[in-house]
């Protein structure tokens, strides 16, 4: 607890870790590999494999760089209240359970860069990243073959989402599901995703605030869905959608769009 970034984990493998308590309640969950409570340690050049709830970051701000997470279960990186000060050059591959990164009421507008998500799955949330009540910025991220219940690559509920210079390929059950939050997408490609490329769910109640979503230099190519909007679906009425240089090609849906 309370460590600073002079506490360094560097250059080894963490495997077969299991939390002392396995409940997913934020008050009882523990990290099977690393449990960080209000600290800011440095984690770099590590491999996490075969763990349950790899890292629980409870109101801490660690530095995580050049780390690979492969074949873990549960919430691979679970951030409560705050997020890593640095999350960069990190790979999430074939992790299963409840999102490779799970952000819960994270403050401070975290920025994650140079991340790669391949083959992750979420049974009740998203496969790659699930965020609730969090303003999140992603730059240079790549998502491929991820699947989930609330967004194959990303599920974002409440809060703002900004994505730049990123690619979403062959993810299932909607690549990005933006639910009741504003968003900015710049130089982003959606290609070959099923369940549609991007779903935007705007509020429908007069008591809710309007959302605003902006797409600039975004491509939707060969995405598909059995519902409406193979490339893009905007649902609800409390919001605006602004587009500039957006290209749609080869997208398909059974109902419309």
């Amino acid at each position: 607890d309370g460590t600073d970034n002079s506490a360094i984990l560097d250059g080894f493998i963490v495997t077969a870790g299991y939390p002392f308590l396995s409940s997913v309640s934020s008050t009882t969950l523990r990290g099977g590999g690393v449990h960080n409570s209000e600290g800011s340690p440095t984690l770099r050049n590590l491999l996490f494999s075969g763990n349950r709830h790899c890292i629980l970051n409870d109101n801490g701000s660690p530095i995580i760089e050049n780390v690979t997470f492969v074949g873990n279960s549960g919430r691979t990186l679970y951030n409560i209240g705050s997020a890593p000060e640095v999350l960069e050059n990190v790979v999430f591959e074939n992790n299963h359970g409840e999102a490779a990164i799970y952000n819960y009421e994270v403050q401070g507008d975290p920025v994650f860069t140079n991340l790669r998500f391949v083959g992750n799955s979420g049974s009740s949330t998203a496969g790659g990243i699930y965020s609730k009540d969090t303003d999140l910025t992603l730059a240079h991220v790549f998502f491929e073959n991820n699947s989930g219940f609330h967004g194959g690559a990303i599920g974002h509920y409440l809060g703002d989402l900004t994505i730049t210079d990123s690619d979403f390929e062959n993810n299932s059950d909607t690549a990005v599901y933006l639910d009741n939050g504003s968003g900015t997408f710049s130089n982003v490609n959606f290609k070959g995703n099923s369940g549609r490329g991007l779903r935007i769910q705007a509020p429908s109640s007069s008591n809710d605030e309007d959302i605003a979503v902006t797409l600039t230099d975004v491509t939707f190519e060969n995405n598909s869905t059995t519902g409406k909007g193979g490339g893009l679906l905007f649902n609800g009425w409390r919001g605006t959608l602004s587009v500039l240089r957006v290209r749609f090609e080869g997208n398909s849906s059974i109902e419309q769009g």
Side-chain angles (χ1 to χ4, degrees):
D1 291 355
T3 58
D4 60 25
N5 58 20
S6 65
I8 299 174
L9 301 178
D10 189 344
F12 57 88
I13 297 172
V14 180
T15 188
Y18 197 89
F20 177 69
L21 294 173
S22 60
S23 168
V24 295
S25 166
S26 61
T27 60
T28 60
L29 185 63
R30 300 292 183 266
V34 173
H35 183 97
N36 178 47
S37 179
E38 301 182 357
S40 54
T42 298
L43 284 66
R44 64 188 180 212
N45 306 316
L46 303 175
L47 170 63
F48 289 84
S49 178
N51 302 282
R52 172 76 173 167
H53 303 309
C54 271
I55 297 177
L56 173 60
N57 176 47
D58 186 358
N59 289 288
S61 55
I63 294 173
I64 302 176
E65 51 190 3
N66 302 318
V67 174
T68 299
F69 298 88
V70 178
N72 302 284
S73 63
R75 299 173 184 178
T76 305
L77 171 57
Y78 185 17
N79 298 306
I80 303 173
S82 64
E85 177 183 349
V86 175
L87 185 66
E88 186 173 12
N89 298 326
V90 176
V91 175
F92 297 87
E93 185 172 349
N94 295 327
N95 302 287
H96 306 287
E98 295 182 73
I101 298 178
Y102 194 113
N103 300 310
Y104 182 76
E105 296 183 352
V106 168
Q107 305 299 309
D109 303 343
V111 178
F112 301 159
T113 59
N114 295 317
L115 307 182
R116 183 178 177 88
F117 297 81
V118 178
N120 303 284
S121 64
S123 59
S124 60
T125 56
I129 301 175
Y130 181 77
S131 298
K132 181 179 180 182
D133 288 322
T134 300
D135 294 335
L136 176 65
T137 296
L138 302 172
H140 302 285
V141 293
F142 177 76
F143 293 84
E144 182 179 24
N145 292 328
N146 302 284
S147 62
F149 179 78
H150 198 88
I154 297 175
H156 195 86
Y157 178 61
L158 302 176
D160 297 342
L161 176 64
T162 300
I163 303 177
T164 61
D165 302 312
S166 299
D167 295 277
F168 297 84
E169 297 183 3
N170 301 317
N171 302 283
S172 60
D173 192 28
T174 304
V176 177
Y177 189 171
L178 179 58
D179 190 354
N180 283 264
S182 293
T184 302
F185 299 78
S186 178
N187 193 26
V188 177
N189 300 305
F190 295 90
K191 183 177 181 180
N193 301 285
S194 62
R196 70 185 55 89
L198 171 61
R199 176 175 178 175
I200 301 165
Q201 180 63 50
S204 297
S205 170
S206 59
N207 296 321
D208 294 325
E209 295 183 2
D210 289 2
I211 66 166
V213 179
T214 301
L215 309 180
T216 305
D217 296 314
V218 175
T219 298
F220 296 91
E221 182 178 353
N222 296 331
N223 303 284
S224 63
T225 182
T226 58
K228 301 177 181 179
L232 167 67
L233 175 66
F234 190 102
N235 196 39
W237 59 275
R238 294 297 306 261
T240 59
L241 175 64
S242 302
V243 299
L244 178 64
R245 296 187 299 274
V246 175
R247 182 170 67 91
F248 294 86
E249 181 178 346
N251 302 286
S252 63
S253 69
I254 290 179
E255 292 188 34
Q256 301 173 4

